[in-house]
Amino acid sequence: MTEVNRNDGILAWKGHPYVALACRLFIGGVFVAACIFKIKDPEVFVLSIATYDILPTSLLNLMAIILPWLELGVGILIIIGYKTKPSALLIALMMLVFMAALAIALARGIDMSCGCFASAEAGEQITRLTMLRDLCYLLPAIYVLIFDNNPIGIGSFHRAPREKGSI
Amino acid sequence: MYSWRKIQELIYPTLRDALIILALCAVLACFVNLVRPDSLDWFAVCDYDILVPCPEPIGEATAMSVEDARRLTSDDLLIDARLSDEFSRWHAPDSINIVFDYLTPIPDEAIRKIAAMRAHRIIVAGDGQDPDSGEQLAKEISGRGIKNVHFIVGGMAHIKFANENHGDD
């Protein structure tokens, strides 16, 4: 055990699961909140995606159908602590894609709402602060992905029998 | 430090589980879309009509009456913001035509052309409607860094009326 701690260094710190729990509740809450309007009004959400003018027209609907449910799925999983790392990986990848889309829209000077939490009409206009906000969602996801090796939640109950069996 | 083998052991299960989550969410999403009454088509066949807010004129422009406009000097530049065919039918002497478009910003080339003329005052006249294309263009030109920009209240229609009643003096 001592050997493992020496080798893992910062990864072995016992506080990681608690810090990660706070990160998980934060980003999980954000993702669950973000998917509500998209699931409720996919026909409005598809317009938000179309405004970015990045995806080909044929893929817009498919994206508007699948993305909100993916956000809901990973949001719930990361909150309850089941499959935490894969969920954090998907969240981090989604945030990178969202930030890239925002950067392209800002570079093109498109005056639009990001469509993250509300419809294009109700949402605030994208600015560099929107990028900063997305970075605040990306960093906790990366933290969970790297440091949350023993997540507090349903995953810990799931792991227990396997650990007993291995002894 | 982790060995490459250990990194692979850590990464592969995470990637595999991420793909499984992605697939399950996609299946659930497709199922819900299938059963909901207002379902989306799987693939869009034509472009969506996207409403992007018009660029807002951001500069300051001073209102000017037609009487003031009749006292223009050779150092002043009169810009006609109306459509090209309206300009070709009638325009004030020595005026230039820069069509104002509510959706498209003024081309940089047009701004450079205005700046190169080094006019003492820039006077813009438009369609005189509400909103007035001349006032909008004047504010946009001012917002792009050109100083001393004015617009004529009532637009080109008032200038034409004044010219017809007072002569081209």
Side-chain angles (χ1 to χ4, degrees):
Chain A
M1 190 66 186
T2 314
E3 186 66 26
V4 171
N5 282 352
R6 196 189 304 139
N7 286 342
D8 289 351
I10 194 170
L11 287 171
W13 181 53
K14 288 183 170 33
H16 283 315
Y18 302 100
V19 178
L21 177 64
C23 293
R24 282 166 38 206
L25 292 176
F26 172 62
I27 48 176
V30 165
F31 266 68
V32 170
C35 73
I36 292 170
F37 110 86
K38 299 169 189 169
I39 289 175
K40 196 176 156 202
D41 295 315
E43 65 278 4
V44 177
F45 178 51
V46 75
L47 290 177
S48 296
I49 304 175
T51 313
Y52 280 93
D53 197 19
I54 294 172
L55 280 179
T57 305
S58 57
L59 294 181
L60 291 174
N61 285 11
L62 212 54
M63 179 68 108
I65 291 167
I66 293 173
L67 186 64
W69 288 94
L70 182 62
E71 287 181 347
L72 181 67
V74 295
I76 290 173
L77 286 175
I78 207 163
I79 285 173
I80 64 173
Y82 183 69
K83 299 293 179 191
T84 309
K85 285 200 172 218
S87 303
L89 175 65
L90 285 169
I91 287 174
L93 290 176
M94 276 192 276
M95 290 317 305
L96 286 173
V97 171
F98 295 160
M99 289 173 75
L102 269 176
I104 292 169
L106 284 172
R108 287 177 179 169
I110 300 175
D111 191 11
M112 58 177 282
S113 156
C114 81
C116 309
F117 294 94
S119 65
E121 289 77 21
E124 292 180 3
Q125 301 302 302
I126 55 167
T127 60
R128 288 178 183 173
L129 283 178
T130 318
M131 290 281 287
L132 195 64
R133 185 201 64 189
D134 280 4
L135 190 66
C136 291
Y137 302 149
L138 173 65
L139 294 179
I142 292 174
Y143 179 85
V144 173
L145 182 61
I146 296 172
F147 294 110
D148 199 12
N149 292 318
N150 297 298
I152 300 167
I154 287 179
S156 54
F157 299 117
H158 180 71
R159 277 192 308 276
R162 194 172 47 189
E163 285 170 4
K164 281 175 187 170
S166 64
I167 291 170
Chain B
M1 289 296 291
Y2 286 126
S3 65
W4 175 241
R5 188 181 180 84
K6 191 169 182 183
I7 289 172
Q8 282 180 323
E9 284 172 5
L10 287 171
I11 289 175
Y12 284 158
T14 305
L15 276 176
R16 183 200 61 212
D17 289 349
L19 286 173
I20 291 170
I21 292 169
L22 177 62
L24 289 175
C25 289
V27 169
L28 177 65
C30 293
F31 174 74
V32 172
N33 188 60
L34 207 61
V35 296
R36 71 188 300 165
D38 55 342
S39 62
L40 284 179
D41 295 333
W42 298 110
F43 301 100
V45 288
C46 58
D47 288 336
Y48 284 98
D49 291 328
I50 304 163
L51 295 174
V52 177
C54 308
E56 291 288 331
I58 48 171
E60 293 287 328
T62 314
M64 178 184 268
S65 67
V66 176
E67 285 69 34
D68 292 333
R70 286 171 59 79
R71 290 191 285 272
L72 298 185
T73 68
S74 57
D75 292 333
D76 299 327
L77 171 64
L78 180 61
I79 297 176
D80 192 329
R82 297 175 304 160
L83 298 173
S84 302
D85 57 339
E86 291 175 304
F87 180 80
S88 59
R89 277 202 294 274
W90 179 87
H91 60 265
D94 301 325
S95 63
I96 65 167
N97 185 215
I98 296 176
V99 179
F100 177 72
D101 189 326
Y102 282 93
L103 294 176
T104 314
I106 312 169
D108 291 338
E109 189 186 340
I111 294 292
R112 280 196 293 271
K113 184 179 170 186
I114 295 168
M117 288 180 169
R118 298 188 178 279
H120 177 61
R121 291 184 302 174
I122 311 291
I123 294 107
V124 187
D127 53 20
Q129 294 176 1
D130 186 18
D132 178 20
S133 62
E135 181 180 352
Q136 303 297 311
L137 183 67
K139 287 179 176 175
E140 193 178 344
I141 290 170
S142 172
R144 299 280 289 273
I146 305 289
K147 305 291 181 194
N148 211 7
V149 184
H150 308 262
F151 66 92
I152 296 173
V153 177
M156 273 298 169
H158 279 207
I159 294 178
K160 186 179 181 185
F161 180 78
N163 279 347
E164 286 169 355
N165 284 279
H166 300 285
D168 288 338
D169 52 7

